[in-house]
């Protein structure tokens, strides 16, 4: 099956989103590592899971575009 063609604008936007998500994930992970409060830790773990899922969805768009470029 042929990978869908994505414009360079879509690819560039995907890369920006991935960069932002990576930075946000790093911040959340740092706060998680520093936070002793169990409730806050659970909340941060949930947020980290959500951000990771979002990142994975962007990867699906970034990889075919990268292969096509």
């Amino acid at each position: 099956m042929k990978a869908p063609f994505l414009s360079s604008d879509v690819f560039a936007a995907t890369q920006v989103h991935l960069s932002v998500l990576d930075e946000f994930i790093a911040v959340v992970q740092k706060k998680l590592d520093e936070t002793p409060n169990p409730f806050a830790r659970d909340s941060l773990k949930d947020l980290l899971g959500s951000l990771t899922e979002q990142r994975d969805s962007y990867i699906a768009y970034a990889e075919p575009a990268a292969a096509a470029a």
Side-chain angles (χ1 to χ4, degrees):
M1 182 175 185
K2 201 172 181 183
F5 174 75
L6 298 175
S7 75
S8 60
D9 289 338
V10 171
F11 180 70
T14 299
Q15 295 304 314
V16 171
H17 282 255
L18 282 170
S19 175
V20 170
L21 283 166
D22 286 341
E23 290 177 33
F24 197 24
I25 287 169
V27 169
V28 173
Q29 185 62 58
K30 182 176 185 269
K31 294 295 182 182
L32 179 60
D33 294 342
E34 297 171 348
T35 303
N37 180 289
F39 181 80
R41 288 182 59 77
D42 283 346
S43 178
L44 289 170
K45 285 178 186 176
D46 288 344
L47 178 57
L48 195 56
S50 175
L51 292 170
T52 301
E53 287 178 14
Q54 288 180 46
R55 187 183 190 288
D56 291 345
S57 70
Y58 277 100
I59 289 290
Y61 289 100
E63 290 177 346

